[in-house]
Amino acid sequence: MNILDKIVLRKREEIAAAKALVSMQDLEKSVHFNRTPYIFKEFLLAEDRTGIIAEFKRSSPSKGLINGVADVAEVTQAYNNAGASALSVLTDVDFFGGKTADLVAARAANNIPILRKDFMIDEYQILEAKAWGADIILLIASILTPQQINDFGKFAHDLGLNVLLEVHNLEELERSISPNLDAIGVNNRNLADFTVDIQTSFDLVNKIPNEFLKISESAISNTETIKELKTAGFNGFLIGENFMKTDNPGLAIQQFVAGL
């Protein structure tokens, strides 16, 4: 059983426990449920924004603790002020050190789109994302069937949420394309063994239909890589560890953006 299998197994347990505590009806009564989510495309393509999706991530299965002291509101505001097009906030507890409160705090502090970064395998989690103030959900092709991707995408769209599909190879991409998506991200990190290879993005960019926003995720640590990815056709760039591993993630993104 690889790391991804373990995460999904644990996720099923988490969802069952969450459903027992908070009903779908309760989620629908939450303060954020009736807010209109931001449109991801508008912010990603805005000329005064960088295309960077800046991630708040405390830890990971491959690196262990990345940053145990950063304040989510402070860091995400700094990301926003530096020109991030969107924020990505981990809500997985056991493997990434995330929590619901991180997403809620990021929402309260910011006026740009927020991605709920988690392993979505149930419609209940999409309702949670909406209730907590997210604007974008992530669907990971390697843990979902094409039917699930289509159905979850439609369910999210019906709630006004934006949908980012994550793929790791051509086979996942070709079987997962659905009209109920807004963006397709190429994860340069293999979630089975957590190795990274930026070439994955360059290999797949022209295989992604042009009606979708194109995102490169992970293994981006310098501005030259972003310039090359832009030239190749990518609109967005998800960066997490590169900023979070520093003592001051807000300063790190500011210095990074200065080089674009």
Side-chain angles (χ1 to χ4, degrees), residues 173-248:
L173 173 63
E174 290 180 337
R175 69 174 164 82
S176 304
I177 291 172
S178 159
N180 296 311
L181 306 171
D182 301 287
I184 295 179
V186 179
N187 194 342
N188 303 304
R189 188 184 304 278
N190 183 323
L191 286 182
D193 60 16
F194 280 77
T195 56
V196 293
D197 185 359
I198 195 72
Q199 187 59 39
T200 309
S201 280
F202 294 107
D203 291 345
L204 291 182
V205 63
N206 292 323
K207 307 291 186 183
I208 300 172
N210 289 329
E211 63 260 37
F212 302 109
L213 296 165
K214 301 181 183 186
I215 316 291
S216 181
E217 305 172 9
S218 301
I220 301 170
S221 58
N222 64 71
T223 52
E224 288 307 309
T225 301
I226 284 192
K227 291 171 186 174
E228 291 168 7
L229 289 166
K230 271 188 179 176
T231 301
F234 282 97
N235 312 111
F237 319 92
L238 192 145
I239 305 176
E241 199 173 291
N242 193 57
F243 304 140
M244 288 298 295
K245 69 184 179 183
T246 68
D247 291 334
N248 189 334

Side-chain angles (χ1 to χ4, degrees), residues 85-134:
S85 292
L87 304 167
S88 171
V89 179
L90 269 294
T91 56
D92 176 80
V93 179
D94 289 359
F95 296 89
F96 289 88
K99 51 189 176 183
T100 305
D102 287 342
L103 180 48
V104 173
R107 171 78 289 144
N110 294 281
N111 58 353
I112 60 174
I114 298 177
L115 166 69
R116 180 190 179 184
K117 186 80 174 290
D118 211 317
F119 299 80
M120 312 293 272
I121 57 171
D122 193 293
E123 285 185 353
Y124 181 85
Q125 294 167 288
I126 302 173
L127 287 175
E128 284 182 328
K130 173 77 169 173
W132 299 345

Side-chain angles (χ1 to χ4, degrees), residues 26-41:
D26 287 338
L27 289 174
E28 290 170 355
K29 292 173 188 170
S30 71
V31 65
H32 291 300
F33 205 83
N34 290 320
R35 70 174 279 271
T36 301
Y38 293 115
I39 298 171
F40 186 28
K41 184 175 184 178

